């Protein structure tokens, strides 16, 4: 749990603060044992871990993109012969006058 005023204790006082927090928690629990999986950390440590994970995510993405690029250049491209493949035909150059085309809304059969 973090404090509302965003202040942090000094790194040297962290062990004492952790012990103080555990004593306060033990008093609040009134004799029940403190959960063994309880983690006490600082906001600075949480942010450091988050930034490290964020940076690692970007490094992973970069490595993934590099692998895909390397695989794409290593494999020769083959012509596809599937009937579903489209062939792109170039448009003829527009030079000189073109024949007039009727507007589709004015010409009805």
């Amino acid at each position: 749990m973090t404090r509302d005023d965003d202040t942090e204790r000094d790194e040297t006082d962290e062990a004492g603060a952790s012990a103080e927090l555990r004593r306060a928690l033990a008093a609040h629990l009134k004799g029940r044992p403190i959960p063994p999986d309880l983690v006490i950390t600082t906001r600075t440590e949480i942010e450091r871990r988050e930034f490290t994970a964020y940076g690692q995510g970007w490094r992973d993405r970069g490595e993934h993109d590099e692998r895909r690029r390397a695989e794409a250049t290593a494999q020769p491209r083959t012509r596809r012969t599937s009937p579903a493949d489209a062939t792109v035909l170039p448009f003829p150059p527009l030079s000189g006058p073109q024949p007039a085309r009727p507007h589709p809304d004015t010409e009805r059969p």
Side-chain angles (χ1 to χ4, degrees):
M1 187 178 265
T2 58
R3 295 169 49 166
D4 291 337
D5 61 358
D6 289 341
T7 58
E8 291 285 333
R9 292 185 183 264
D10 292 334
E11 295 290 326
T12 57
D13 194 26
E14 190 172 326
S18 178
E20 180 184 338
L21 182 58
R22 285 185 178 278
R23 279 192 299 274
L25 185 58
H28 182 70
L29 292 175
K30 299 178 183 165
R32 290 180 293 193
I34 296 176
D37 58 347
L38 175 69
V39 176
I40 299 174
T41 187
T42 62
R43 176 177 287 174
T44 305
E45 177 63 19
I46 291 171
E47 288 176 353
R48 186 191 66 75
R49 289 179 184 200
E50 287 175 350
F51 289 137
T52 301
Y54 181 79
Q56 185 60 45
W58 278 108
R59 282 188 292 279
D60 289 347
R61 173 61 191 259
E63 290 171 3
H64 174 74
D65 289 347
E66 287 176 14
R67 267 194 312 275
R68 288 188 65 198
R69 220 174 292 118
E71 289 171 1
T73 57
Q75 296 174 355
R77 294 194 174 242
T78 58
R79 284 188 69 102
R80 297 183 181 185
T81 57
S82 168
D85 291 341
T87 302
V88 179
L89 301 174
F91 289 104
L94 297 175
S95 61
Q98 299 294 319
R101 296 184 190 146
H103 193 275
D105 290 341
T106 58
E107 293 266 333
R108 300 208 183 236

